[in-house]
Amino acid sequence: MLSACEMELDIPVKISELLSAETQNVTGTIAVEVSACASYEDSRIPSESLTEVRTKIKGIIPSAEYVQCYTKEMNSYAEFNIKINVKHDVETASDGISLLSDGTGALGIHIPNDVTEQIKQALYGSSDVSISFSITNDTDKQAKYVVGASYLNNQPFPLGNTFILLPNHSLDIRLSDVAKDYILQGNNFIILIPDNDDEQQASESSEQAE
């Protein structure tokens, strides 16, 4: 088991990627806490903790590419980039972490059972795992969503409430502990559901007028 005590998964995604009918590729970031970046005996040599984490993460997620080791608020972290596909169904999802969308702008996440088991074995028993998303509206229309229990820009957001993301704006979503634990049990989790009630009502009114 890794000697780490925290792991953070952050995935940036654009609304246009969730609306596309084609498979999209995004790059996520994993940061794993380590005891130190460098050896106490020789700062030119990576620490044993860093070396162990690099080996473990590469074994769990083959696409992981080590980026750097850094210190933040007196804690050290090993940072990795990972390849993530935006898929339309679980059957075509990759062996690693995948985002799920049906082309309407919905957002879900799929982590294969073998990956979640390895994460739990290596980290979860004694670690704090967080999963977050950076959502950017790169379209020319506002996006209205129903969101699962999460933190939006570090503020708690009740289950089932809606929010509007304006064009050229971004929003950070961090999943609640319940959602995170559910995902790490090997379950798919829907994070964002488009709320198109206004458009549907407008369409129905238009049809009635005709």
Side-chain angles (χ1 to χ4, degrees):
M1 182 176 291
L2 294 178
S3 57
C5 59
E6 182 179 352
M7 184 180 83
E8 301 173 353
L9 169 62
D10 182 62
I11 305 173
V13 62
K14 300 175 181 178
I15 298 296
S16 63
E17 294 168 336
L18 302 178
L19 294 172
S20 174
E22 303 294 331
T23 296
Q24 301 293 311
N25 299 300
V26 301
T27 300
T29 300
I30 288 181
V32 183
E33 187 175 0
V34 295
S35 59
C37 289
S39 169
Y40 292 112
E41 299 176 350
D42 188 338
S43 62
R44 295 170 297 180
I45 301 174
S47 68
E48 291 185 5
S49 177
L50 175 58
T51 301
E52 180 185 9
V53 165
R54 291 182 64 172
T55 300
K56 285 286 187 179
I57 293 299
K58 188 68 175 180
I60 296 172
I61 306 174
S63 71
E65 296 182 357
Y66 174 71
V67 177
Q68 63 178 335
C69 188
Y70 62 91
T71 299
K72 180 178 68 175
E73 297 178 350
M74 303 300 292
N75 295 320
S76 298
Y77 298 88
E79 181 179 313
F80 303 82
N81 285 340
I82 60 172
K83 298 178 181 179
I84 299 174
N85 292 326
V86 181
K87 297 284 190 176
H88 294 301
D89 57 76
V90 176
E91 286 71 20
T92 61
S94 63
D95 295 333
I97 299 170
S98 295
L99 300 183
L100 303 176
S101 185
D102 57 3
T104 67
L107 171 63
I109 185 170
H110 167 73
I111 304 180
N113 286 329
D114 60 334
V115 174
T116 61
E117 286 302 316
Q118 291 181 71
I119 290 175
K120 286 187 285 187
Q121 290 174 11
L123 294 164
Y124 187 67
S126 61
S127 300
D128 178 18
V129 180
S130 69
I131 302 175
S132 59
F133 301 83
S134 301
I135 311 296
T136 299
N137 186 354
D138 60 335
T139 72
D140 57 359
K141 297 181 180 180
Q142 69 178 25
K144 186 177 181 182
Y145 281 104
V146 177
V147 63
S150 306
Y151 292 86
L152 272 61
N153 289 338
N154 290 322
Q155 297 298 316
F157 202 76
L159 175 66
N161 279 22
T162 61
F163 73 89
I164 294 175
L165 187 58
L166 298 175
N168 301 313
H169 282 67
S170 298
L171 182 72
D172 293 328
I173 298 176
R174 176 167 53 87
L175 300 186
S176 67
D177 287 343
V178 172
K180 173 202 69 178
D181 291 344
Y182 186 74
I183 292 167
L184 291 178
Q185 289 175 357
N187 300 298
N188 299 329
F189 184 77
I190 304 302
I191 301 141
L192 298 177
I193 301 175
D195 183 352
N196 299 320
D197 288 346
D198 294 341
E199 294 181 7
Q200 182 176 355
Q201 291 175 2
S203 176
E204 290 175 352
S205 298
S206 176
E207 291 178 357
Q208 291 174 1
E210 293 177 356

